[in-house]
Structures are given as structure tokens and as C-alpha cells.
């Protein structure tokens, strides 16, 4: 067995001042990888706290080989790319330091899960309908999956059936290396989205599964998702312009669909992280008229667009948060 095939998966985790969350992730890897051969690559991006000390002194199960790579605050995309370059596993998996694995991860590698062995990408989402669960998609269906990530419902595919996050997927390493697919270091936001755009432009087989392989906590205050800036909008525009190679002539967006593309990936984020400058930039970017609402695929997105136009940022944020809290309790 050669080095590349000696690990079932390489788990790549960028860290930065993660001392308060990293132990939870490492414990979950021990718990849910106990029957797997796993390579854990921890890419520390210039931490000034005890993150590296914790990682060096953590006791891993014998089937887990860990390595720490130190960088000088180069950003999450560069950290992940360094992880890819140093990985040897059959599959690549990307997690953030404030995530945790779920039991779904280990079950994916059971001998009964034969669909996995023919897929270049294994994608998890709680939005996957039952009739698509454990199904391998090929050809133009992959284009339709791409549209659920950025546009919502398309044909028989439901919104977010293929999510923009890189953390709920397994990528066949040989496929990533063949096409030299990397995260874009020019992006401080939406790097996962653009990475998956490039994946969807080359991939031939995707296994779609219902559920999650990780638990999302988002309690590391050093994360980019806690720091709303105008780069959110600018990076969304950049991703839109760069990602048009994904769509053929029949699937090209109109200018209103393009505006919705930006509003969809920014709107929910903005409602959780209100920032007046970003809000003004968003309003200038999106034509908030009746035609815009046509492209909103859910009541959730229709409300964001309507609220931004008629109620303003902070009232919209307040109502949005209240509704999300009520839904979570329900």
C-alpha cells in the first residue's frame, strides 16, 4: 500500500488562537475516527495563545497521525492549500477549529457504503430530500446542484441540496491534484463557495447524502464570520464574476438573477452580523424592486429583500433573529 492510500482521509484544520475550541474538535476526531486511518493536519496561522501547545500535547488514538504546520498569519485559504500540499489521504476533509465531527463521518467509511467508492466528491446536507439520499449524480445534474448552492431551487433540486461550505464534504485527493484545485487566497469571504464552484466545473461524480459530518458551533471570535466588512460584498462580486464559467449559455444569470446571487450569499450573513457600511453597499448592489423578489426562492430570502427596502437594516435584523430563535426552539 503506497503512502497516498495509507490513510482513509486527511483532515485539514486551519487554526488561529483556537485554544478555547480546539480540544472539542480533537476529542470528536478521536471519538468518531476510532476505526479509520486518519491523517490530521493542523495548520496554525500565527497563533499567539496556547493553541499549538494544546495540539502538541493532545493524546490521539494510535490510528490517528497528526502533524502541525506553522505559518505566519497567511489566511484560511493559504492554510488550507498548505494542508492539501502536505496531505496523503485518499479523501480530503476541511474543518474549522470551532467545529466538531459527528458520528456520520465514521459510518461513511463502512464497507456497506459502496456508493462512496465511485464518487469524486461526497456531499452532505440536511436539505437533501429522501429520494436523492445516497444517489450519485453525473452530467448536467451537477450543474443543477451548483445552482442550488447559489440560486436556490432548480428543477427537482431543492435549495442548498449542495451547500457552499467545504466542511460538509469529502473530496477525492487524486481528483483535487489532477486539476490543481485550490482555495483562492484573494478572498477573505466566500472562499468555500468559490472553491466548490471550481470543483463543480470539473467533477464527474458526486454522491449526495442527507445529514451532516460535522457540528457547527461558530464560537471562535477570531473567525472571519464574526467580522463583517465591505469585503463581504466585494468578495461576493468577485466570486460572481469569476464563477460564470460554471454555467453554460442556458443557465447564465440575468442581471436580476446576478443581483440575487449576491443577496442570497450575503443577506443571511448580514442579518447575523449587522454592519451599516456593508448594508449600504448591498443596497447599491441589488436593485430592490418587484423583479428582484421574483428570484427569491424562499420566504426567508423574500423577507430579507423586503425588509432591507422597507424597514431598514436594524429592524430587519431584529425580526430575522427573533424568527430564527423561534424556529430553533420549535
Amino acid at each position: 500500500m503506497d503512502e497516498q492510500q495509507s490513510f482513509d482521509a486527511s483532515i485539514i484544520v486551519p487554526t488561529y488562537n483556537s485554544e478555547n475550541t480546539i480540544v472539542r474538535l480533537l476529542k470528536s476526531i478521536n471519538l468518531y475516527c476510532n476505526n479509520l486511518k486518519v491523517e490530521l493536519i493542523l495548520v496554525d496561522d500565527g497563533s499567539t495563545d496556547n493553541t499549538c501547545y494544546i495540539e502538541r500535547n493532545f493524546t490521539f488514538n494510535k490510528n490517528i497521525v497528526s502533524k502541525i504546520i506553522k505559518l505566519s498569519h497567511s489566511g484560511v485559504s493559504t492554510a488550507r492549500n498548505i494542508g492539501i500540499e502536505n496531505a496523503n489521504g485518499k479523501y480530503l476533509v476541511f474543518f474549522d477549529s470551532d467545529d466538531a465531527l459527528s458520528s456520520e463521518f465514521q459510518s461513511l467509511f463502512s464497507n456497506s457504503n459502496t456508493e462512496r467508492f465511485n464518487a469524486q466528491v461526497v456531499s452532505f446536507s440536511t436539505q437533501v430530500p429522501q429520494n436523492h439520499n445516497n444517489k450519485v449524480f453525473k452530467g448536467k445534474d451537477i450543474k443543477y446542484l451548483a445552482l442550488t448552492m447559489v440560486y436556490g431551487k432548480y428543477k427537482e433540486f431543492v435549495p442548498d441540496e449542495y451547500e457552499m461550505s467545504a466542511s460538509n464534504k469529502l473530496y477525492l485527493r487524486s481528483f483535487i491534484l489532477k486539476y490543481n484545485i485550490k482555495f483562492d487566497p484573494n478572498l477573505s469571504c466566500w472562499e468555500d463557495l468559490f472553491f466548490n464552484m471550481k470543483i463543480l466545473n470539473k467533477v464527474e461524480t458526486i454522491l449526495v447524502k442527507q445529514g451532516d459530518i460535522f457540528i457547527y458551533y461558530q464560537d471562535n471570535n477570531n473567525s472571519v464570520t464574526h467580522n463583517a466588512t465591505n469585503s463581504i460584498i466585494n468578495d461576493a462580486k468577485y466570486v460572481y464574476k469569476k464563477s460564470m464559467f460554471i454555467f453554460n449559455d442556458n443557465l447564465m444569470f440575468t442581471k436580476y438573477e446576478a443581483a440575487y446571487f449576491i443577496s442570497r450569499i450575503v443577506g443571511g450573513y448580514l442579518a447575523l452580523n449587522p454592519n451599516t457600511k456593508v448594508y449600504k453597499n448591498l443596497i447599491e448592489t441589488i436593485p430592490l424592486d418587484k423583479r428582484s423578489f421574483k428570484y427569491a426562492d424562499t420566504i426567508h430570502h423574500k423577507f430579507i429583500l423586503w425588509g432591507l427596502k422597507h424597514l431598514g437594516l436594524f429592524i430587519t435584523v431584529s425580526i430575522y433573529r427573533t424568527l430564527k430563535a423561534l424556529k430553533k426552539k420549535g
Side-chain angles (χ1 to χ4, degrees):
M1 183 178 293
D2 62 27
E3 185 181 30
Q4 180 176 340
Q5 300 300 323
S6 62
F7 297 104
D8 296 305
S10 294
I11 300 176
I12 299 169
V13 184
T15 62
Y16 175 69
N17 288 350
S18 306
E19 63 179 10
N20 294 324
T21 60
I22 191 64
V23 172
R24 178 177 61 206
L25 173 61
L26 301 183
K27 285 182 176 180
S28 71
I29 292 173
N30 259 356
L31 179 62
Y32 295 122
C33 295
N34 58 339
N35 292 326
L36 306 175
K37 292 182 179 180
V38 170
E39 177 184 47
L40 175 61
I41 303 175
L42 300 159
V43 187
D44 187 76
D45 201 18
S47 291
T48 57
D49 64 359
N50 291 317
T51 300
C52 291
Y53 175 83
I54 293 170
E55 294 168 350
R56 283 195 302 268
N57 290 277
F58 188 85
T59 303
F60 290 101
N61 296 339
K62 292 182 179 179
N63 58 300
I64 299 171
V65 176
S66 67
K67 65 174 72 171
I68 301 173
I69 300 172
K70 301 193 75 171
L71 302 179
S72 181
H73 208 47
S74 303
V76 65
S77 292
T78 298
R80 285 173 170 173
N81 290 338
I82 293 294
I84 293 172
E85 293 171 6
N86 286 272
N88 299 293
K90 181 175 182 178
Y91 282 95
L92 301 178
V93 188
F94 302 97
F95 290 122
D96 292 332
S97 60
D98 53 356
D99 293 334
L101 260 68
S102 74
S103 58
E104 291 278 356
F105 183 80
Q106 182 161 270
S107 65
L108 179 64
F109 289 87
S110 66
N111 291 331
S112 61
N113 211 325
T114 55
E115 301 94 339
R116 171 180 60 83
F117 297 105
N118 297 316
Q120 293 170 325
V121 176
V122 182
S123 175
F124 281 78
S125 172
T126 56
Q127 303 304 311
V128 173
Q130 192 58 42
N131 64 322
H132 285 177
N133 190 30
N134 288 318
K135 186 174 181 179
V136 176
F137 289 102
K138 303 176 181 179
K140 61 184 178 181
D141 281 342
I142 290 175
K143 304 288 186 181
Y144 302 152
L145 277 174
L147 285 171
T148 74
M149 180 173 61
V150 298
Y151 181 48
K153 180 176 173 58
Y154 196 86
K155 295 185 178 296
E156 75 273 20
F157 294 87
V158 302
D160 294 320
E161 188 165 342
Y162 188 98
E163 295 179 347
M164 66 179 69
S165 172
S167 297
N168 57 1
K169 298 173 179 65
L170 283 78
Y171 302 96
L172 190 66
R173 178 174 170 269
S174 59
F175 161 72
I176 295 291
L177 294 180
K178 178 180 179 180
Y179 294 105
N180 193 30
I181 300 173
K182 295 182 178 180
F183 290 88
D184 192 327
N186 294 311
L187 294 170
S188 57
C189 304
W190 319 121
E191 65 279 351
D192 283 17
L193 172 61
F194 192 38
F195 179 77
N196 277 301
M197 283 287 192
K198 290 186 281 188
I199 291 289
L200 291 166
N201 190 45
K202 297 295 185 182
V203 71
E204 297 175 351
T205 54
I206 298 178
L207 168 61
V208 173
K209 294 183 71 68
Q210 189 182 76
D212 277 318
I213 58 171
F214 78 110
I215 302 170
Y216 179 57
Y217 287 98
Q218 195 181 350
D219 51 8
N220 180 1
N221 290 326
N222 295 300
S223 170
V224 68
T225 53
H226 287 358
N227 298 286
T229 68
N230 272 299
S231 65
I232 296 169
I233 301 292
N234 295 331
D235 283 359
K237 294 177 183 177
Y238 174 89
V239 169
Y240 171 72
K241 291 177 181 178
K242 293 287 187 179
S243 62
M244 281 301 94
F245 60 77
I246 288 294
F247 306 105
N248 61 34
D249 292 339
N250 295 325
L251 297 179
M252 287 291 286
F253 287 170
T254 67
K255 68 176 181 178
Y256 286 96
E257 291 172 305
Y260 179 62
F261 173 100
I262 295 174
S263 72
R264 186 172 194 268
I265 65 175
V266 174
Y269 182 102
L270 180 61
L272 291 173
N273 301 271
N275 180 296
T276 303
K277 290 182 179 180
V278 177
Y279 164 67
K280 290 179 179 178
N281 197 336
L282 181 65
I283 294 300
E284 292 172 359
T285 300
I286 301 172
L288 293 176
D289 58 23
K290 291 182 179 179
R291 285 174 292 181
S292 301
F293 293 95
K294 170 185 175 182
Y295 298 105
D297 60 313
T298 65
I299 293 176
H300 159 86
H301 293 114
K302 288 181 188 294
F303 169 74
I304 288 176
L305 292 174
W306 180 86
L308 289 174
K309 181 176 178 64
H310 297 287
L311 303 178
L313 173 65
F314 292 103
I315 295 177
T316 301
V317 167
S318 179
I319 296 174
Y320 177 83
R321 285 177 167 172
T322 301
L323 292 174
K324 282 186 71 73
L326 290 172
K327 183 178 180 181
K328 193 171 183 180
K329 287 182 179 179

